[in-house]
């Protein structure tokens, strides 16, 4: 995969973010998309060897559309400024997300503002053994890789059914349970990118396993 070409395409697309330009450069886009899918297929196979419960996600299934959803976000540009994909993507589970873009390049995973049913299950899991999750996110290697949980909106009070005196109230107040590992453009275009993805996936795995177990209760 020539990620330099992918960045070049995205730069030109953002300077000409309209259907006419995309139509004129459709072959270029389709070629890069096919290369990215093939790259994802290889990564998918590598990751499948690390977890017996891995959910096979071929690149074509995992890749996201490049079109923004203008129905819900009418002020956004027609096309995104990145290529993104979710791997190990079982229904209603925390996937492993890869994004290569102009503003952000990242590896991420977890639940982004999950549906009420899943959020309720995660909170019940934390109520039962939140110390396990706390131990996972407190390790030095986890902190070095992700810092902490992604800072999204949090409740100011305790969720319904819990008190502010709960030993894991800080976790319970989260609405998003996800982590993000920013990466540089230089790393993406290097020969080490795929190996780095595998390393980050392994570091994230206990966190995702905990969430998936809690979400399935």
């Amino acid at each position: 995969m020539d990620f330099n070409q992918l960045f070049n395409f995205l730069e030109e697309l953002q300077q000409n973010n309209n259907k006419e330009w995309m139509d004129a450069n459709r072959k270029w886009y389709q070629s890069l998309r096919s290369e990215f899918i093939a790259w994802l297929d290889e990564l998918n196979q590598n990751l499948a060897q690390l977890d017996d419960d891995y959910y096979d996600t071929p690149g074509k299934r995992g890749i996201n559309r490049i079109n923004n959803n203008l129905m819900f976000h009418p002020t956004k540009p027609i096309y995104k400024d990145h290529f993104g994909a979710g791997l190990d993507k079982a229904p209603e589970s925390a996937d492993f997300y890869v994004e290569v873009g102009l503003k952000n390049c990242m590896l991420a995973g977890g639940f982004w503002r999950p549906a009420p049913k899943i959020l309720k299950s995660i909170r019940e899991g934390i109520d039962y053994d939140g110390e396990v999750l706390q131990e996972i996110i407190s390790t030095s290697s986890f902190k070095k890789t992700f810092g902490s949980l992604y800072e999204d909106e949090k409740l100011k009070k305790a969720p319904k059914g819990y008190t502010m005196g709960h030993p894991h109230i800080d976790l319970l107040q989260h609405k998003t349970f996800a982590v993000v590992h920013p990466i540089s453009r230089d790393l993406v275009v290097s020969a080490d990118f795929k190996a780095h993805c595998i390393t980050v996936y392994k570091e994230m795995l206990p966190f995702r396993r905990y969430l998936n177990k809690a979400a399935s209760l």
Side-chain angles (χ1 to χ4, degrees):
M1 172 80 219
D2 187 343
F3 282 104
N4 279 311
Q5 276 295 311
L6 187 149
F7 283 119
N8 290 341
F9 170 82
L10 289 173
E11 287 168 349
E12 292 201 31
L13 174 61
Q14 294 313 301
Q15 294 171 11
N16 304 275
N17 203 311
N18 56 73
K19 187 176 183 300
E20 291 75 20
W21 187 90
M22 177 61 93
D23 288 344
N25 291 273
R26 184 71 59 179
K27 288 185 179 180
W28 187 14
Y29 166 66
Q30 292 292 353
S31 175
L32 288 170
R33 183 176 184 275
S34 295
E35 287 186 38
F36 188 53
I37 286 173
W39 183 87
L40 290 169
D41 284 339
E42 292 182 5
L43 180 59
N44 178 58
Q45 293 174 4
N46 293 147
L47 299 182
Q49 299 173 12
L50 304 176
D51 183 12
D52 291 339
D53 294 324
Y54 185 87
Y55 191 86
D56 183 43
T57 314
K60 194 171 183 178
R61 185 187 304 163
I63 192 171
N64 295 337
R65 296 181 62 191
I66 198 167
N67 300 66
N68 276 312
N69 190 332
L70 301 182
M71 179 179 295
F72 297 103
H73 304 283
T75 61
K76 283 190 174 184
I78 297 175
Y79 303 106
K80 300 173 183 175
D81 65 352
H82 62 270
F83 278 47
L87 300 179
D88 197 3
K89 194 174 182 179
E92 298 187 339
S93 71
D95 66 353
F96 178 70
Y97 178 69
V98 181
E99 179 173 307
V100 177
L102 300 181
K103 293 180 181 178
N104 296 299
C105 294
M106 71 175 82
L107 303 172
F111 285 99
W112 171 265
R113 299 184 184 179
K117 179 182 176 182
I118 293 177
L119 181 57
K120 182 175 182 291
S121 291
I122 292 174
R123 284 175 172 157
E124 288 173 351
I126 292 171
D127 180 44
Y128 177 71
D129 62 0
E131 66 278 2
V132 176
L133 177 58
Q134 190 64 59
E135 183 177 351
I136 291 170
I137 65 177
S138 297
T139 64
S140 58
S141 59
F142 189 95
K143 288 182 175 180
K144 182 178 180 181
T145 306
F146 306 111
S148 59
L149 291 184
Y150 181 77
E151 285 298 327
D152 191 26
E153 292 182 7
K154 292 179 65 176
L155 295 175
K156 294 181 180 180
K157 298 181 179 180
K160 185 177 180 180
Y162 303 95
T163 69
M164 290 300 291
H166 194 286
H168 306 301
I169 187 60
D170 185 60
L171 290 173
L172 292 169
Q173 288 174 310
H174 280 271
K175 295 182 180 180
T176 288
F177 292 87
V179 290
V180 175
H181 175 74
I183 48 180
S184 68
R185 181 166 173 169
D186 286 343
L187 176 59
V188 172
V189 301
S190 76
D192 299 325
F193 181 36
K194 189 175 294 178
H196 190 78
C197 291
I198 295 170
T199 298
V200 173
Y201 174 89
K202 289 164 65 176
E203 183 64 43
M204 194 190 301
L205 196 52
F207 171 72
R208 292 177 54 245
R209 281 175 173 164
Y210 180 92
L211 292 179
N212 288 335
K213 180 180 179 180
S216 66
L217 295 177

